[in-house]
């Protein structure tokens, strides 16, 4: 196995034991980028020289006995919405081509303090306003999309260009690419991780989190990035546990809810089969399974767009007026539409969000988590506009992916996607685990228990 | 349901929102607005009663 193929946990073990140097590991990732990124286009910018300098410093620190922890010397990719001091934050848009970050975003600061090494900035759907990432391709099938908006991070992690990629999730933008590219993706609870220094799409729905090769790696990254930050008013003043601590304690006695509506209404049969088999796997480990009804199912998509559209326009208002012609047509159209939404319509959405929160709390009274498909279909072909499901329903690719993601964005609940199989064409399927607020430990434990009993997360695309 | 906007009314709305669009862009904006409006209108049937919005102002300084 080459260094770039390791998980963070495995690489960290070797680095700590001085069996692998950060320089060797970072060089391996950079070589991998050189070998495959011409096909994938996962990176906006590769910071090879800067990364190797950081790796040499890490090597020296570790040799001097100043090992910082499991992220020390680990090559990572940062979605190009996050500020990294001295580097451009283009948000994959012509509008921001000249924006140079003066300071690190909160997550970048915490990750580099923990010793992680940035090998580059990964592509996003323009300003994270979409779930396709048209710049980038899926490593499992190069003529398919990686999903988005964190599509660069999804493709990069799946293909071994870095061991972890940071993403952001407003309507599925961590979970969608993670599911489509066959990686783990964690959207933590709203308020668990600071978004300071990350270009906003929608303040009330934006979350940030990692895409990784396995669940333990996601827990390790969450350990580094979680916590209160006075610069992000949404962050919670709650203690941060060690998210790796209880991973191996099993899931016997836990109860999960499987939705009887919404998540299985319009779905590719191959996805449904993989997810239902995954639920059986958890059941075989002592998990009790109950049927649940997703409340406000018919309103989910309207609520998601009802928040995103006006909030995104508010963020972009000045740029839209000054350089609207630099946006892609798709994003510009949504931004223009947002100028026309009435304030009372926006407030109606926020009031219904209160009802949705109450209803989810009630639904969670006797379950620990919901398990369901991350998305209803595997990666669409490049240029594909819609899916036709067995029910006859035709749904746009974007709507299909956002629909399954919206409940965890609207409720702010922690949501994890874990690979749970492949369809007949070899494209990955994801299992979504949604937990109670700030109960990432249970979500991660369920994901780790499932992952450990299967080999899906260890499979790699043949590029 | 609210009545559909005529072309003149839509032009006035765009002006009011300070959107100076070409004819081609107007068409795109009209389509996008109609789609968003349809979604928002679908929420009108939800009974809200005294439900407050899911936002809270935090007056603390720390």
């Amino acid at each position: 196995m080459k260094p770039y193929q390791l998980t963070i946990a495995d690489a960290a073990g070797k680095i700590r034991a001085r069996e692998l140097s950060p320089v060797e590991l970072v060089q391996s990732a950079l070589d991998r980028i050189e070998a495959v990124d011409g096909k994938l286009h996962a990176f906006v910018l590769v910071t090879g020289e800067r990364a190797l300098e950081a790796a040499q410093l890490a090597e020296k620190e570790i040799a001097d006995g100043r090992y910082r922890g499991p992220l020390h010397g680990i090559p990572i990719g940062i979605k190009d919405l996050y500020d990294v001091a001295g580097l451009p934050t283009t948000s994959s848009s012509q509008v921001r081509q000249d924006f140079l970050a003066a300071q690190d975003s909160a997550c970048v600061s915490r990750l580099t303090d923990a010793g992680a090494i940035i090998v580059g900035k990964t592509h996003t759907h323009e300003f994270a306003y979409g779930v396709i990432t048209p710049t980038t391709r899926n490593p499992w099938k190069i003529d398919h999309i990686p999903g988005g908006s964190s599509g660069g991070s999804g493709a990069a992690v799946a293909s071994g260009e870095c061991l972890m990629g940071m993403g952001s999730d407003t309507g599925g933008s961590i979970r969608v690419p993670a599911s489509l590219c066959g990686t783990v993706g964690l959207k933590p609870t709203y308020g668990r991780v600071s978004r300071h220094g990350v270009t906003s799409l929608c303040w009330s729905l934006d979350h940030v989190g990692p895409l990784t090769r396995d669940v333990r790696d996601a827990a390790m990254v969450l350990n580094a990035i979680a916590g209160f930050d006075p610069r992000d008013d949404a962050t919670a003043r709650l203690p941060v546990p060690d998210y790796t601590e209880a991973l191996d304690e099993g899931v016997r006695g836990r109860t999960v809810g499987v939705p009887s509506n919404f998540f299985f209404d319009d779905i590719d049969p191959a996805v449904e089969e993989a997810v239902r088999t995954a639920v059986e796997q958890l059941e075989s480990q002592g998990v009790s399974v109950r049927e649940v009804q997703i409340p406000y199912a018919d309103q989910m998509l309207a609520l998601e767009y009802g928040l995103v559209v006006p909030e995104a326009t508010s963020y972009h208002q000045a740029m839209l007026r000054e350089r609207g012609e630099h946006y892609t047509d798709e994003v510009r159209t949504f931004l223009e539409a947002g100028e026309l939404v009435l304030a009372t319509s926006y407030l109606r959405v926020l009031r219904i969000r209160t009802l949705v929160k109450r209803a989810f709390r009630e639904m969670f009274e006797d379950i620990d988590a919901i398990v369901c498909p991350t998305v209803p279909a595997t990666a669409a072909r490049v240029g594909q506009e819609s899916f036709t499901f067995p029910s006859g329903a035709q749904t746009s690719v974007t709507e299909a992916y956002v629909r399954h993601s919206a409940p965890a964005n609207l409720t702010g609940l922690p949501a994890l996607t874990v690979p749970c199989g492949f369809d007949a064409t070899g494209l990955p399927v994801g299992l979504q685990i949604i937990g109670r607020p700030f109960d990432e430990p249970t979500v991660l434990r369920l994901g780790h228990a499932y992952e450990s009993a299967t080999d899906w997360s260890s499979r790699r695309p043949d590029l | 349901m609210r009545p559909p906007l005529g072309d003149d009314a839509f032009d006035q709305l765009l002006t009011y929102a300070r959107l100076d669009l070409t004819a081609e862009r107007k068409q795109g904006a009209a389509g996008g607005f109609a789609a968003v409006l349809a979604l928002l209108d679908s929420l009108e049937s939800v009974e809200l009663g005294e439900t407050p919005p899911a936002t809270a102002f935090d007056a603390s300084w720390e």
Side-chain angles (χ1 to χ4, degrees), chain A residues 412-462:
Chain A
L413 298 176
L416 178 77
T417 179
V418 183
C420 70
F422 290 83
D423 69 10
T425 70
L427 286 165
V429 179
L431 173 73
Q432 182 169 210
I433 303 168
I434 304 172
R436 293 160 170 265
F438 298 99
D439 193 12
E440 281 84 358
T442 296
V443 168
L444 292 163
R445 203 157 142 184
L446 283 162
H448 178 68
Y450 172 72
E451 178 184 78
S452 301
T454 61
D455 74 343
W456 306 118
S457 289
S458 63
R459 299 197 189 181
R460 303 282 180 264
D462 183 20

Side-chain angles (χ1 to χ4, degrees), chain A residues 44 78-83 87-100 121-130 133-135 149 168 197-201 315-316 319 326-328 331:
Chain A
V44 185
I78 300 292
K79 185 178 185 178
D80 200 21
L81 287 184
Y82 289 68
D83 284 351
L87 298 182
T89 310
T90 72
S91 305
S92 292
S93 177
Q94 287 295 320
V95 177
R96 292 277 293 265
Q97 285 306 304
D98 54 357
F99 181 84
L100 196 68
K121 309 263 326 256
T122 56
H123 265 300
T124 168
H125 198 113
E126 185 180 27
F127 282 108
Y129 213 161
T133 319
T135 44
S149 63
S168 64
V198 181
T199 306
S200 176
L201 174 58
Y315 177 85
H316 285 269
M319 289 187 287
H326 292 299
Y327 288 94
T328 57
V331 169

Side-chain angles (χ1 to χ4, degrees), chain A residues 15 30 45 76 121 212 323 340 343 380 402 419 434 444:
Chain A
I15 287 173
L30 291 171
L45 176 73
I76 62 170
K121 309 263 326 256
T212 56
R323 44 174 93 175
L340 308 176
V402 172
I434 304 172
L444 292 163

Side-chain angles (χ1 to χ4, degrees), chain A residues 52-83:
Chain A
L52 284 170
E53 280 173 19
Q56 282 157 6
L57 182 63
E59 189 173 81
K60 186 173 184 318
E61 284 178 346
I62 294 164
D64 292 346
R66 287 179 286 145
Y67 180 65
R68 299 194 205 180
L71 297 185
H72 205 171
I74 301 297
I76 62 170
I78 300 292
K79 185 178 185 178
D80 200 21
L81 287 184
Y82 289 68
D83 284 351

